[in-house]
Amino acid sequence: MLAPLTVSQLNKYVKFLLEESDGLRGLAVAGEISNFKAHYSGHWYFTLKDDKAALPAVMFREANRRLGFVPHDGMRVVVFGRASLYERDGKFQVYAEDMQPDGLGALYLAFEQLKERLAAEGLFDDERKRPIPVFPQRVGIITSGTGAALQDMLQVLGRRCSACEVVLCPVQVQGAGAAKQIAQAVELLNAREAADVLIVGRGGGSLEDLWAFNEEPVARAVASSRIPVISAVGHETDVTICDFAADLRAPTPSAAAELAVPDMSEIAAGLQGLHERMGYAMQANLQQRRAQLSSLLGRRVLTRPQELVYSAQQRLDSATQRMHSAMTERTLRERAKFTRLAASLHALSPLAVLARGYAIARKDDVPVASVKALELGDMLELQLYDGVCGVLVCAPRAQRD
């Protein structure tokens, strides 16, 4: 007789067999969700069922955080993953790795294909995004005129900025023709320059309900809008093509209204705080200036201004004396220099030479430098120190030679 297995050994063996089975890996299981529970750890626990059977399932946080929706009881889904045994409880269950609403696979494919194509065109580039005005005077809302989302937005806008004008352009937000109406509304408000910022959106719903905001005409109208656009479609987990094309995505319509206008009560409180701080600063500055003025008024330059005149006069007298002394010294120095130069010039003067008994002989007004230039009977002119006289050459040439 074989030795009995323990429960844990049997469960481990069955789990091994299940995980080694190729048919239990890469499963796609369709069913209806029931007993859905979002655990505080972030994991989801639920049951997949049909009209004949039920199957426990778990989707760990790492996998469910990638989904664009949160499932709920009664939703039909297709779960992708593997089947195995939860060893501790001996419970056969599905480990979900991905999930999508049943029957919506084609819509998800269309969504991804359009998103990829428009992104390749640059329609979602950050460079195209326009800043949302800080203080808009008019807010344009494109949504259903009867939906709860409109009332939520109007309530938020009225509370935050009652002076802001609201321009409503009611449109169909789901079903045939909805996308065309939404796109035309964006173009109309742009053509009329009817608002400073636009909110385009609606409340939550299924993927089919939100599909109008995933159509190309809406994406192109939003991307080409000259007026900045805030997309507010569905709940925080809902993601649409309109979100990517818009200048700003809001998680909900109410959040979009908060992003569109400032909270004037907060601004008023901030201005009041600034006013008070400015008053304190002005008062402190005024007191400082008064103290400076009192200090200046007590200085000698203001109490006895004549001392400034006396001091200036004394400086002027001192400067005048220095200038006079310098001029006298310069005059004496230049006069001595002139005397020396005059003596040197006089020593070199021809008149000084003549005064020592020399004379200058000229023949026909030309100075005679040599006796060889004279002939017997020539009349010469002698320049003496105190006058001129004429002489006759009478010595024979032989004697002159």
Side-chain angles (χ1 to χ4, degrees):
M1 181 176 178
L2 296 176
L5 296 172
T6 65
V7 173
S8 61
Q9 287 174 333
L10 179 58
N11 282 354
K12 184 176 294 186
Y13 178 68
V14 173
K15 180 178 180 180
F16 171 79
L17 293 177
L18 292 174
E19 291 185 346
E20 287 299 306
S21 173
D22 293 336
L24 297 180
R25 292 197 297 266
L27 288 174
V29 184
E32 180 181 321
I33 290 180
S34 65
N35 301 321
F36 179 82
K37 179 181 179 181
H39 195 264
Y40 71 87
S41 64
H43 307 323
W44 293 347
Y45 297 93
F46 54 95
T47 300
L48 279 178
K49 67 177 185 178
D50 57 18
D51 56 346
K52 296 180 180 180
L55 178 64
V58 60
M59 192 171 194
F60 295 123
R61 180 180 59 186
E62 292 75 19
N64 66 48
R65 69 193 306 176
R66 296 192 297 266
L67 294 184
F69 68 98
V70 177
H72 55 81
D73 289 344
M75 177 183 286
R76 293 192 57 81
V77 295
V78 177
V79 172
F80 302 90
R82 60 185 175 86
S84 185
L85 189 76
Y86 182 43
E87 189 175 333
R88 192 195 69 178
D89 296 342
K91 183 172 65 175
F92 178 76
Q93 63 183 11
V94 170
Y95 292 86
E97 298 170 356
D98 196 6
M99 181 191 302
Q100 63 179 237
D102 191 14
L104 298 180
L107 290 180
Y108 275 106
L109 180 61
F111 176 91
E112 291 298 332
Q113 288 177 344
L114 178 60
K115 175 184 172 184
E116 183 178 353
R117 179 160 57 85
L118 296 182
E121 292 182 23
L123 226 64
F124 307 151
D125 291 349
D126 291 339
E127 292 76 12
R128 295 175 59 94
K129 306 298 183 184
R130 291 141 297 196
I132 305 301
V134 179
F135 296 103
Q137 296 181 1
R138 294 173 297 173
V139 176
I141 299 179
I142 300 175
T143 189
S144 170
T146 58
L150 174 61
Q151 299 306 317
D152 292 341
M153 287 188 282
L154 292 177
Q155 182 180 5
V156 173
L157 291 173
R159 171 173 52 83
R160 290 176 64 86
C161 187
S162 59
C164 186
E165 179 183 354
V166 176
V167 180
L168 174 63
C169 190
V171 295
Q172 181 181 339
V173 294
Q174 70 181 68
K180 183 178 180 180
Q181 288 189 24
I182 296 168
Q184 288 177 342
V186 173
E187 294 168 355
L188 176 64
L189 293 182
N190 271 271
R192 296 185 177 180
E193 298 181 351
D196 301 310
V197 62
L198 299 181
I199 300 176
V200 179
R202 55 155 293 162
S206 65
L207 181 61
E208 298 104 314
D209 295 339
L210 305 180
W211 193 252
F213 297 89
N214 287 323
E215 296 195 27
E216 186 170 350
V218 173
R220 293 197 178 277
V222 168
S224 61
S225 171
R226 296 184 303 277
I227 303 173
V229 177
I230 301 175
S231 176
V233 182
H235 301 302
E236 187 170 1
T237 56
D238 297 318
V239 180
T240 65
I241 298 294
C242 181
D243 295 336
F244 296 107
D247 301 292
L248 183 64
R249 175 186 181 265
T252 63
S254 297
E258 292 185 355
L259 294 171
V261 297
D263 189 337
M264 298 308 296
S265 60
E266 291 183 0
I267 293 177
L271 289 175
Q272 179 63 30
L274 289 174
H275 181 268
E276 292 176 358
R277 292 201 301 273
M278 183 173 63
Y280 295 147
M282 290 179 62
Q283 186 65 28
N285 186 58
L286 182 59
Q287 292 177 354
Q288 182 183 6
R289 298 300 182 186
R290 284 174 176 170
Q292 291 177 346
L293 180 59
S294 298
S295 176
L296 292 173
L297 289 175
R299 292 186 179 183
R300 188 173 59 180
V301 67
L302 295 179
T303 57
R304 289 187 291 175
Q306 65 275 13
E307 290 191 2
L308 286 178
V309 178
Y310 298 154
S311 178
Q313 287 178 342
Q314 188 175 3
R315 291 196 301 273
L316 178 60
D317 292 342
S318 177
T320 302
Q321 181 64 35
R322 290 196 304 273
M323 182 179 66
H324 184 269
S325 298
M327 289 179 62
T328 301
E329 182 181 353
R330 178 68 179 272
T331 301
L332 293 175
R333 188 168 57 251
E334 294 299 326
R335 183 174 295 171
K337 181 179 178 181
F338 176 77
T339 301
R340 291 194 305 272
L341 291 176
S344 299
L345 182 61
H346 179 72
L348 297 175
S349 173
L351 294 177
V353 175
L354 295 179
R356 294 197 297 271
Y358 293 93
I360 299 174
R362 294 187 180 90
K363 178 182 178 180
D364 299 328
D365 292 331
V366 177
V368 178
S370 173
V371 72
K372 295 179 180 180
L374 299 177
E375 297 291 342
L376 184 65
D378 287 341
M379 288 298 297
L380 301 179
E381 184 182 77
L382 289 183
Q383 175 70 49
L384 302 175
Y385 172 72
D386 57 354
V388 179
C389 68
V391 296
L392 177 65
V393 178
C394 59
R397 181 178 295 275
Q399 290 181 359
R400 286 186 280 118
D401 292 341

